[in-house]
Amino acid sequence: MSIRHSVIIDCDPGQDDAVALLMAYGSRDELDIRGITTVAGNVPLRLTQENARRVTELAGITDIPIYAGCARPIMRDLVTAEWIHGATGLDGCGLPDASMSLADGHAVDFIVDTCLAAADGEMTLAPTGPLTNIAMAIVKEPAILPKIREIVLMGGAMDHGNTTPAAEFNIYVDPHAAHVVFECGRPVVMLGLDVTHKAITTPARLDAIKRLGTPVSDSVAGMLTFYNKYDIDRYGMEGGPLHDPCVIAYLLRPELFSGRHVHVAIDTKSELSMGKTVVDWWDGNDQAANATVIDRIDADGFYALLTERLARV
Ligand code: BDR
Ligand code: CA
């Protein structure tokens, strides 16, 4: 396989972020992973950076640097989600504390420096948490923009929010950062709840992962068993939606997904719908499209790809 993307994964692990990292680690023949940057989100930064290192150690990877980034959103107080992810953010993983070191320097500087050193259109950014680090990098050094091929993110919802009735978690936590990213002028792919709620970890799909019988699959099964509980109770579904790995699957097999190129605005003004992604699906406001909003997935194909990639780690 040849390299499809040179990518920085910006994340807030979180069990589904962790599975996304492992899926990416099993795909290094197709993804040139330049680094992992972490941000405050599901849990505070001191835990998200630690969790990224725990997962990277599980994969036996020593040559991908992990950076800590922004400890809070740009304008608003940090909101976390321990009620879904547990106190550590990675409950159920069965992993020890991290022993590998954090890379020196700040995640935002790493994103800026890596992009500046790249050719035009070379870098893909893959955020699976609040968009604080990505927005800060764009604000700090707008000269990175031509270097960015696309920003493929998990966040947003056309339909129902999961954190407020209007807003999805990643966009709700830092709506001002999301505004910067959606307005940045580079291609944005939004994998929001409209598609991730069609990627359900059913018992059969979880069993297929368990059957791999590796330390990675044991840890993933433990994480997803913990993580699914909240969503099964809340949504009454067979399993939980597996949000963040959809980003990695999109990088690897975009043909598993479909959507529409439309205009997306972020509400940063109203407390009632703060962080809502206002998606102009039917082109009502005549504004130029700024994002591809994905709403469909071949879920069986996605889980087959995920299981195959986890088997390689
Ligand atoms: C998103 O929020 C977090 O809880 C998950 O990690 C995912 O990135 C889903 O709304
Ligand atoms: Ca996440």
Side-chain angles (χ1 to χ4, degrees), residues 12-18 41-42 81 84-85 127-130 154-156 162-163 167-171 173 191-193 196-197 227 235 241-244:
D12 63 334
Q15 291 90 348
D16 60 329
D17 301 78
N42 287 322
I84 300 172
H85 299 274
T128 62
M154 191 282 135
N162 62 359
T163 301
E168 179 279 332
F169 180 79
N170 289 338
I171 309 296
V173 171
L191 292 136
L193 301 180
T196 65
H197 275 243
Y227 178 63
Y235 301 114
L242 194 50
H243 308 285
D244 294 338

Side-chain angles (χ1 to χ4, degrees), residues 19-20 38 55-56 73 87 89 92 99 119 142 174 179 190 205 214 218-219 221 254 270 278 306 310:
V19 177
T38 56
V55 170
T56 304
S99 57
D174 199 339
H179 172 80
M190 170 178 139
R205 290 168 176 163
T214 64
D218 287 351
S219 181
S270 141
V278 181
L306 171 66
L310 292 177

Side-chain angles (χ1 to χ4, degrees), residues 190-199 246 257 294-297:
M190 170 178 139
L191 292 136
L193 301 180
D194 313 285
V195 64
T196 65
H197 275 243
K198 293 170 184 148
C246 287
F257 299 85
I294 303 296
D295 69 330
R296 271 177 281 171
I297 182 173

Side-chain angles (χ1 to χ4, degrees), residues 183 261-265 278-281 283 285 287-291 293:
E183 290 299 313
H261 194 48
V262 291
H263 186 265
V264 179
V278 181
V279 177
D280 191 4
W281 195 251
D283 196 16
N285 68 7
Q287 280 186 274
N290 60 356
V293 173

